[in-house]
Amino acid sequence: MARRTVALLNALSPEEPQPETVAAVLCEYGEPAPVRLSTADVADLRLAAEELRAVFEATDVDLAASRLNRLLARGTGALRLSSHHGESPWHPHLDSDDEAPWGEWLLASSCLALTVLVWDRQEPPGGVCASPVCRHVFITRGSGPDRRYCSRRCATRERVAAHRRNRAAAGIGPRGEERVTPRRGAGSSGPPAP
């Protein structure tokens, strides 16, 4: 459920997510096809995703728990089990009804998944990619150094960009040659230096 939350938040992060893209993610994570979403459904899902994003932005477990508690108090119903009239295995629901609007469902089911992660790990459930060109969220896994990027692709892109900035600041060209800065004054074609 937590991986589904991340996949949906990331699919909903562009300015105008396409209903077909969001529907494909829902199907990938177990919703029976075909999933038909209107632009209003996607807008509702996007509002829920923005609220959930605040949990991933939490810098410590206390802040993550506080944000989850606020969302649970405001956006969920009573915990119940549902099999959708025998069409699926029994599973927990926190939304108001089995036919609740998509945004309500995303908020409630994601709160449940993220609550379990905070409870189990005693740390924030994840983070937001540190790349300034990426808005994706991710789930932290296990021990080790703190994760900063949503993917290896983003980490590599940022590492290469930092390397290029450092080389440029040191006056080293892209092929390793030292950049020669023309000196002003005698022999130069520009006006003399003051």
Side-chain angles (χ1 to χ4, degrees):
M1 283 177 41
R3 285 192 304 271
R4 180 193 65 202
T5 296
V6 165
L8 282 168
L9 267 60
N10 292 339
L12 292 160
S13 69
E15 285 299 317
E16 293 185 28
Q18 298 303 305
E20 304 79 32
T21 302
V22 178
V25 172
L26 287 166
C27 290
E28 180 182 342
Y29 284 89
E31 287 298 314
V35 173
R36 299 190 200 310
L37 298 173
S38 68
T39 54
D41 292 331
V42 172
D44 194 33
L45 283 163
R46 195 158 192 273
L47 287 173
E50 284 301 318
E51 290 186 280
L52 290 162
R53 184 179 181 77
V55 177
F56 287 90
E57 292 170 346
T59 54
D60 61 58
V61 67
D62 294 335
L63 185 55
S66 173
R67 289 177 178 178
L68 272 169
N69 281 337
R70 184 176 40 85
L71 292 174
L72 286 164
R74 189 181 52 73
T76 60
L79 180 63
R80 69 183 191 292
L81 289 168
S82 176
S83 69
H84 298 276
H85 309 290
E87 295 178 15
S88 71
W90 288 99
H91 58 279
H93 265 262
L94 279 176
D95 48 4
S96 62
D97 184 80
D98 283 358
E99 301 304 320
W102 282 107
E104 181 185 332
W105 166 83
L106 175 61
L107 187 63
S109 64
S110 296
C111 280
L112 179 59
L114 298 177
T115 296
V116 170
L117 285 179
V118 170
W119 176 22
D120 185 50
R121 298 176 180 176
Q122 295 299 302
E123 62 183 34
V128 178
C129 188
S131 172
V133 296
C134 182
R135 287 185 36 88
H136 285 184
V137 297
F138 56 86
I139 297 172
T140 52
R141 293 189 175 105
S143 60
D146 287 342
R147 185 172 170 188
R148 297 184 54 222
Y149 299 100
C150 67
S151 66
R152 285 188 175 140
R153 181 178 174 204
C154 277
T156 300
R157 182 180 57 241
E158 293 305 314
R159 191 171 43 252
V160 168
H163 177 72
R164 288 180 179 157
R165 283 190 304 273
N166 290 340
R167 287 176 64 94
I172 301 171
R175 293 190 184 95
E177 73 277 3
E178 187 174 335
R179 291 188 178 158
V180 179
T181 305
R183 296 175 58 172
R184 296 193 162 251
S188 72
S189 59

